[in-house]
Amino acid sequence: MGNKDKSQSVIKRKDLQALFDSLIKKGYSTYGPCVQDGAVVYDRIESVSELPIGWTDRQDNGNYRLTKTKEKRLFGFVVGPHTWKKYLYPSESKLWEAKRSGHEFEIVAEVNQPYKQAFIGVRPCELQALAIQDKAFLEGEFTDVSYLQRRQNVFIVAVNCVQPGGTCFCSSMKTGPKASGGFDLALTEVVEPNKHYFVVEAGSSAGVKILKEIPGKAAGEKEVLAAKKALRKASSKMGRRLDTDGLEKLLFKHIDHPHWNEISSRCLTCGNCTMVCPTCFCGNIEDVTDLTGQTAERRRKWDTCFSVDFSYIHGGSIRSGETARYRQWMMHKLAYWPEQFGTFGCVGCGRCITWCPVGIDITEEAGVFKREG
Amino acid sequence: MATAQQNKKMVKGGPAYPMLVRPYAIRRISRETYDTFTYELTPPRGSGGVSFAPGQFNMLYVYGVGEVPISISGDPAKPQALVHTARIVGAVTKGIKRLKVGDSLGVRGPYGSSWPVEEAVGRDVVLVTGGIGLAPLRPVIYYLLINREKYGRIVLLYGARTPEDMLYTGELERWRGRFDLDVRVTVDRATGSWRGNVAVVTQLIKPAPFDPMHCIALVCGPEIMMRFTILDLEKRGVDYDRIYVSVERNMKCGIGLCGHCQLGPTFVCKDGPVYRYSDIRTIFTKREV
């Protein structure tokens, strides 16, 4: 994604469908937010009308509600329980198949045709989450080929956040509310009396190309300023805050602190936080056979460090206690990740706070250690 | 997710994918103890053996059952014969136990870090091992014996639960007969005609003949045994940065992608299994990390 075109354009609300149409014409499968079962989720969508028009989300510890607003915003909500990782690292996928003949077997790799997926409505925190998963899957000694096959052709339409959610803290993690890179196009939605438009920035040559096919004009000073103002206001409206200064060292220092027990006395170790987390990459490998035993498969599934099995070796689990399992998750995000990948494993999206059934708040708990000093 | 499914097509071969296993044929099975067996494997037709460094492991796959990380216990100078010693404790190793000579066993690897045989040049080498922990150290012993003149005194301290639990007894006897190798063996519980030491392996450290200021210690065994070994090595004056340990954790991928084997900020599959003790001391001494 080279060739940055810093100049911005304006696309009117009524012309946004052209973006979907161009992408579809170019052979992309388009995915975006839509309302399902009372939540904004990501699914295959092909038109603006399928977006959660006029919906907004209220989020708090263990709490998520959608409500209608008078404004007919297309992106007037933040993030729901889904993450884009489900299209790059599916919750379950087949890696290979083995065929048995006599005492021997032969392995046949699962090869995927090149994917051409377009994600519409990727939030700045989610862009950083993609970058973090790229590090885990692509930048180590071994490349995760199935991730690479899905990742390499993705077209990303980011949407900057002008209305942060109740559990958002991207400002603290320095991942938002404005996208700084990792997108092909980035939109900022502006709604004014009798005016509804998007200020668009291209982040790649592919983005520039697509932009040319959509009716629009160069952004004027007024429009650029309106978008800027909305984003500046957003930074101060974050529902949560996390002071990350020296946090990594502090957590190591307090690794035996009794507060871990206090947190785990509330934690149900259900693993919800890991399922909704856009950076969690841990997976399990399952080897299975069909009923005849002639064909075996290797499958990969999302796994969670909250399960007892996760750390099982003969004789027992390494992290058998709830305290150790919660500590592993939070320490991984905020203390181990920086050593492993040079960045926090948390992007400040707030999903783990919202979708925790008992409302455990990572910013609050990390804050306790922070106050200990 | 519709498109992803539609676009899938099975193609033979495919790109080099690190999760693919290669079927090796079992050439020989030897019984070490009542629950531990050594398997000699031959590479698939038309391909050579894969060279490895002492201390590395392979992922071994039993058709349809699953995969486990097992250290390589053979001679690094003879990579054409892949040798693994496995204790039969879980579903996959029980699957291995059911295999016979000629059957296929899937192999991926070798993975992970290795014992510091270069750093040890010119020094005494102390190997402290318990139970099945001798298997990951056997390649080092082969290596040290081939390059014997490069090293000072070599001391092997080996503890097993009972005489019946001892691995490689024939080899141990041969090694004990050598003048350039000091082999000391002990059991926790004596049975039958045992006339040797009865003590935990850590008790062999104090009287062992090595220069604590000028040695490298390689430790492999159950975690509790390694902790106490380190205490006794420290008492003798061996610095933490000259002690190496081999750590065991749950592993699903072996290549740093699945997250299961994390030990603090490290991945045992790629940063380990062999660690310089001083690098992980603060984490290794914590419970349930």
Side-chain angles (χ1 to χ4, degrees), chain A residues 83-98:
Chain A
T83 65
W84 297 103
K85 83 175 174 193
K86 69 174 183 163
Y87 297 121
L88 304 174
Y89 166 34
S91 57
E92 187 175 350
S93 61
K94 184 167 148 186
L95 298 178
W96 49 253
E97 199 172 277

Side-chain angles (χ1 to χ4, degrees), chain A residues 29 31 44 86-87 90 94-100 103-115 136-137 142-146 149-150 252 255-256 281-285 287-289 293-296 298 303 309-314 318-321 324 327-328 332 336 339-341, chain B residues 1-24 45 61-67 87 89-90 102-106 108 110-111 223 248-267 270 283 286-289:
Chain A
S29 311
Y31 299 87
R44 184 80 189 271
K86 69 174 183 163
Y87 297 121
K94 184 167 148 186
L95 298 178
W96 49 253
E97 199 172 277
K99 301 240 183 245
R100 179 151 74 178
H103 298 287
E104 299 176 1
F105 61 85
E106 184 192 18
I107 306 280
V108 186
E110 181 82 351
V111 178
N112 305 302
Q113 290 303 304
Y115 288 85
F137 288 135
F142 294 94
T143 298
D144 188 317
V145 178
S146 73
Q149 286 168 342
R150 292 177 170 86
F252 273 110
I255 197 165
D256 291 322
F281 62 86
C282 288
N284 200 2
I285 300 291
D287 291 298
V288 291
T289 58
Q294 288 311 299
T295 310
R298 170 159 296 175
D303 204 352
D309 282 352
F310 189 85
S311 61
Y312 183 85
I313 52 174
H314 67 89
I318 301 288
R319 291 184 282 274
S320 54
R327 183 178 65 184
Q328 169 63 23
H332 190 207
Y336 303 154
E339 278 199 39
Q340 293 171 347
F341 302 107
Chain B
M1 302 269 295
T3 51
Q5 299 303 326
Q6 283 156 12
N7 286 341
K8 274 188 183 177
K9 202 174 120 194
M10 299 289 294
V11 180
K12 219 172 175 182
Y17 188 80
M19 213 72 98
L20 291 180
V21 307
R22 297 205 303 156
Y24 277 55
R45 275 180 293 277
Y61 166 73
V62 178
Y63 176 87
V65 178
E67 209 176 30
R87 194 150 71 90
V89 288
D103 287 349
S104 289
L105 185 62
R108 294 192 285 132
Y111 300 131
E223 221 158 289
E248 183 184 9
R249 283 293 180 273
N250 182 312
M251 283 182 198
K252 293 294 178 187
C253 75
I255 50 178
L257 302 175
C258 80
H260 278 256
C261 68
Q262 288 177 84
L263 172 68
T266 75
F267 291 87
K270 56 180 190 180
I283 280 292
K286 301 290 177 204
R287 282 181 63 87
E288 294 195 72
V289 170

Side-chain angles (χ1 to χ4, degrees), chain A residues 327-339:
Chain A
R327 183 178 65 184
Q328 169 63 23
W329 178 73
M330 191 162 126
M331 292 275 296
H332 190 207
K333 293 290 164 204
L334 301 174
Y336 303 154
W337 217 294
E339 278 199 39

Side-chain angles (χ1 to χ4, degrees), chain A residues 168-184:
Chain A
C168 286
F169 56 105
C170 67
S171 289
S172 301
M173 305 314 291
K174 297 175 184 65
T175 62
K178 185 180 182 303
S180 57
F183 55 82
D184 295 288

Side-chain angles (χ1 to χ4, degrees), chain A residues 6 52 66 70 125 144 155 248 253 256 271:
Chain A
K6 276 286 169 199
L66 282 185
K70 276 186 208 135
C125 60
D144 188 317
F155 188 95
E248 185 189 336
K253 182 178 156 193
D256 291 322

Side-chain angles (χ1 to χ4, degrees), chain A residues 40-114:
Chain A
V40 172
V41 298
Y42 298 142
D43 205 343
R44 184 80 189 271
I45 61 169
E46 296 195 331
S47 71
V48 168
S49 62
E50 292 170 82
L51 290 168
I53 300 172
W55 287 101
T56 194
D57 45 11
R58 291 180 197 290
Q59 302 198 31
D60 209 340
N61 303 40
N63 201 310
Y64 179 96
R65 290 290 180 274
L66 282 185
T67 52
K68 273 277 188 189
T69 61
K70 276 186 208 135
E71 279 187 333
K72 293 277 179 230
R73 279 183 183 273
L74 305 189
F75 299 97
F77 47 88
V78 281
V79 293
H82 285 194
T83 65
W84 297 103
K85 83 175 174 193
K86 69 174 183 163
Y87 297 121
L88 304 174
Y89 166 34
S91 57
E92 187 175 350
S93 61
K94 184 167 148 186
L95 298 178
W96 49 253
E97 199 172 277
K99 301 240 183 245
R100 179 151 74 178
S101 56
H103 298 287
E104 299 176 1
F105 61 85
E106 184 192 18
I107 306 280
V108 186
E110 181 82 351
V111 178
N112 305 302
Q113 290 303 304

